[in-house]
């Protein structure tokens, strides 16, 4: 079933070209320039990519700073963000060299059909896990956020106090309609809203640094002691430059996952107006740079507010100290809405992976598009509603698929497809990516296993 003869390439975007990696050569299709309508603007592409980068991970970076120290955190954040940008550079270079427009097809070019299938499955699993975790957060937090606007006397079993009902309504009314567009550029409007929500969160974190006393109120420190989240060896109001503890191992995986946007890179590249590798690399650099700034500022001021008592989810600390503060209440809703608006961006590459694996280069079909969207969203919704704790399952899967998609696959594909010498700069960089990705995957998996042992 096709639309006026349009193929998948027309509606999902086509990128790549046998240009030898020319950074100023427009994207080509089958060796010839493609006639196409005006694509997404530079700004809208930046918003979409930032929305793919930023999610609930921003809430955990202050905790990562508390366990690595300010300078230690900055060094790690610079290293991880730089490696993420470099792995995007390799993906875009391969896209121009091969003329392929999908991450899965790059896997197929490098390692034949097994490579294509493995990459496609990795994308689907990773993105289903990400969407499920976001919807799980909504199910848990949205009723409590709504309750803050109600008077204490209002209690009972109202429908708006049931997280499952709210989750279904939000999915049907917001996520599903946004997810139906076959063009990822359409989501730039909601992505810009999500970005300003994240910006508002960062501003609130900075402002509240001057509103919360140090030492913290006695009820907070008592609660921290009960939850065993405070490091008693650190003075309450003393910032540390370097910290090495058993919890420091959580920092690198948290940062790496906070820059994972690689499954959305090629779809955004394909729809970019005047698409060249240099232009898309600039989109990636601006997106990662702005995300880096928001991450660093929110982590720094969040840490300097709570010091050793910072929570693994930063908002929890504000809710304990000033639960009824209007800025805290609004920023809580803003983060939940930003997370909700991130789901369609994450769904897009998962659906494209399914379409590539099942239908290959067949003409675009609205029937297949709609069915795959509904099935993927249905799976995510069922997981978020009925699985009591999905963090362990997707923690294991995410620790492997995330490190592969972020570092290992781009490096391996470049070494396999590129004809450059192994002594070239990019080949050496690809080796570094693969080694770093393997180390990060092993570290992430080990951290999860250790947390299981400690909790049991």
């Amino acid at each position: 079933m096709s639309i006026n003869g349009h193929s998948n390439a027309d509606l999902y975007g086509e990128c790549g070209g046998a240009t030898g990696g020319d950074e100023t050569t427009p994207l080509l299709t089958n060796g010839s320039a493609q006639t196409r309508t005006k694509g997404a603007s530079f700004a809208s592409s930046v918003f979409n990519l930032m929305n793919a980068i930023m999610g609930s991970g921003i809430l955990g970076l202050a905790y990562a700073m508390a366990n690595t120290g300010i300078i230690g955190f900055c060094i790690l954040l610079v290293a991880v963000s730089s490696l993420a940008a470099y792995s995007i550079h390799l993906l875009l270079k391969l896209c121009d060299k091969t003329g392929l427009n999908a991450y899965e097809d790059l896997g197929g070019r490098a390692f034949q059909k097994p490579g294509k299938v493995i990459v496609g499955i990795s994308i689907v699993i990773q993105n289903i896990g990400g969407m499920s975790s976001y919807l799980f957060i909504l199910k848990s937090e949205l009723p409590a956020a709504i309750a803050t606007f109600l008077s204490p006397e209002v209690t009972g079993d109202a429908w708006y106090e049931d997280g499952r009902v709210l989750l279904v309504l939000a999915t049907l009314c917001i996520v599903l309609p946004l997810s139906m567009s076959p063009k990822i550029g359409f989501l730039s409007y909601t992505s810009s809203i999500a970005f300003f929500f994240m910006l508002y969160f960062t501003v609130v974190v900075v402002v509240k640094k001057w509103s919360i006393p140090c030492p913290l109120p006695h009820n907070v420190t008592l609660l921290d002691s009960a939850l065993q989240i405070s490091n008693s060896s650190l003075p309450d109001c003393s910032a540390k430059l370097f910290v090495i503890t058993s919890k420091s191992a959580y920092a690198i995986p948290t940062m790496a996952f906070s820059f994972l946007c690689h499954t959305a890179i090629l779809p955004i590249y394909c729809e970019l107006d005047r698409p060249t590798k240099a232009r898309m690399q600039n989109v990636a650099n601006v997106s990662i740079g702005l995300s880096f700034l928001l991450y660093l500022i929110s982590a720094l001021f969040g840490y300097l507010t709570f010091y050793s008592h910072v929570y693994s989810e930063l908002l929890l600390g504000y809710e304990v100290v000033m639960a009824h503060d209007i800025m805290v209440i609004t920023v809580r809703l803003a983060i939940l809405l930003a997370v909700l608006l991130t789901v369609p961006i994450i769904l897009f590459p998962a659906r494209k992976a399914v379409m590539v694996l099942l239908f290959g280069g067949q003409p675009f079909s609205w029937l297949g598009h709609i069915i795959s969207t509904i099935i993927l969203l249905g799976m995510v919704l069922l997981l978020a509603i009925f699985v009591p704790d999905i963090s362990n399952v997707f923690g294991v899967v995410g620790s492997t698929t995330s490190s592969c998609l972020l570092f290992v696959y781009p490096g391996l594909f470049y070494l396999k497809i590129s004809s450059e010498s192994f002594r070239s700069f990019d080949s050496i960089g690809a080796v570094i990516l693969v080694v770093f990705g393997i180390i990060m995957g092993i570290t992430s998996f080990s951290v999860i296993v250790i947390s299981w042992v400690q909790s049991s």
Side-chain angles (χ1 to χ4, degrees):
M1 178 180 177
S2 62
I3 304 294
N4 299 326
H6 291 299
S7 66
N8 282 320
D10 299 321
L11 287 174
Y12 281 121
E14 184 78 40
C15 67
T19 66
D22 188 340
E23 302 223 351
T24 61
T25 303
L27 293 175
L28 306 176
T29 301
N30 298 326
S32 60
Q34 180 185 1
T35 301
R36 51 178 286 169
T37 58
K38 182 177 176 63
S41 68
F42 186 92
S44 63
S45 298
V46 168
F47 282 130
N48 270 338
L49 191 55
M50 283 195 67
N51 196 18
I53 294 172
M54 302 188 72
S56 59
I58 194 173
L59 301 177
L61 290 176
Y63 183 76
M65 180 177 284
N67 291 300
T68 54
I70 295 176
I71 294 181
F73 177 89
C74 291
I75 293 173
L76 291 175
L77 195 66
V78 169
V80 171
S81 61
S82 300
L83 288 174
Y86 182 70
S87 64
I88 290 173
H89 157 73
L90 294 186
L91 283 178
L92 296 177
K93 192 172 181 179
L94 289 177
C95 185
D96 273 9
K97 179 180 178 62
T98 62
L100 299 175
N101 72 331
Y103 205 152
E104 307 86 345
D105 288 335
L106 289 177
R109 175 64 64 88
F111 298 104
Q112 309 306 317
K113 188 173 182 179
K116 182 175 183 178
V117 172
I118 289 174
V119 174
I121 292 175
S122 298
I123 291 174
V124 172
I125 291 176
Q126 166 65 34
N127 289 10
I128 286 179
M131 288 185 288
S132 299
S133 64
Y134 286 171
L135 293 185
F136 194 87
I137 291 172
L138 284 167
K139 183 187 75 172
S140 304
E141 297 294 332
L142 193 53
I146 292 176
T148 58
F149 291 96
L150 305 176
S151 62
E153 294 78 15
V154 178
T155 58
D157 297 323
W159 63 269
Y160 49 79
E161 296 179 345
D162 190 332
R164 295 168 297 180
V165 174
L166 294 174
L167 186 57
V168 171
L169 289 175
T171 302
L172 293 178
C173 297
I174 300 177
V175 178
L176 182 59
L178 292 175
S179 301
M180 282 300 176
S181 171
K183 290 284 190 178
I184 199 170
F186 171 77
L187 298 174
S188 61
Y189 303 104
T190 56
S191 294
S192 62
I193 296 173
F195 165 73
F196 286 111
F197 283 155
M198 292 293 182
L199 182 61
Y200 176 58
F201 168 79
T202 304
V203 170
V204 170
V205 171
V206 173
V207 170
K208 290 305 176 185
K209 163 69 179 86
W210 317 110
S211 303
I212 297 177
C214 189
L216 294 171
H218 186 58
N219 64 312
V220 178
T221 55
L222 285 179
L223 180 60
D224 289 352
S225 299
L227 296 176
Q228 296 181 342
I229 69 166
S230 175
N231 188 339
S232 59
S233 65
L234 297 177
D236 282 345
C237 301
S238 175
K240 295 297 181 180
L241 299 182
F242 287 99
V243 176
I244 299 178
T245 68
S246 60
K247 296 180 181 178
S248 300
Y250 287 85
I252 293 181
T254 301
M255 294 178 191
F257 301 157
S258 297
F259 285 102
L260 179 60
C261 60
H262 293 51
T263 58
I265 281 290
L266 296 187
I268 294 174
Y269 185 21
C270 293
E271 295 184 18
L272 178 66
D273 186 37
R274 294 182 286 114
T276 63
K277 179 189 178 299
R279 184 168 166 81
M280 186 61 208
Q281 188 68 59
N282 288 335
V283 169
N285 292 342
V286 171
S287 302
I288 291 177
L290 289 175
S291 301
F292 177 92
L293 286 177
L294 294 185
Y295 283 161
L296 180 61
I297 294 171
S298 61
L300 177 62
F301 282 88
Y303 172 57
L304 294 179
T305 301
F306 297 100
Y307 297 97
S308 60
H309 295 280
V310 67
Y311 282 74
S312 58
E313 284 192 18
L314 184 58
L315 275 179
L316 293 177
Y318 296 104
E319 292 168 14
V320 172
V321 176
M322 43 177 60
H324 300 291
D325 182 87
I326 188 63
M327 290 187 72
V328 172
I329 294 172
T330 54
V331 81
R332 189 179 185 184
L333 284 176
I335 288 294
L336 291 177
L337 289 173
V339 165
L340 184 66
L341 295 176
T342 302
V343 174
I345 285 283
I346 302 177
L347 178 87
F348 193 96
R351 179 180 57 214
K352 185 174 182 181
V354 171
M355 300 292 282
V356 168
L357 291 177
L358 296 182
F359 304 110
Q362 294 183 17
F364 176 85
S365 166
W366 270 109
L367 181 61
H369 176 85
I370 293 172
I371 290 176
S372 59
T373 301
I374 292 175
I375 290 176
L376 284 171
L377 270 182
M379 291 174 58
V380 170
L381 193 58
L382 290 174
L383 286 170
I385 290 175
F386 293 108
V387 177
D389 185 5
I390 60 175
S391 59
N392 289 334
V393 176
F394 287 113
V396 173
V397 175
S399 67
T400 53
T401 59
S402 296
S403 58
C404 287
L405 291 168
L406 187 58
F407 300 118
V408 178
Y409 291 161
L412 282 179
F413 296 168
Y414 189 83
L415 293 173
K416 183 69 175 178
I417 297 173
S418 174
S419 57
E420 293 184 5
S421 167
F422 278 96
R423 295 183 179 180
S424 67
F425 178 83
D426 281 337
S427 295
I428 294 173
V431 172
I432 294 174
L433 281 179
V434 173
V435 172
F436 184 84
I438 293 173
I439 293 174
M440 197 201 78
I442 294 174
T443 302
S444 304
F445 183 78
S446 301
V447 165
I448 292 170
V449 172
I450 291 171
S451 66
W452 284 352
V453 173
Q454 290 177 342
S455 61
S456 61

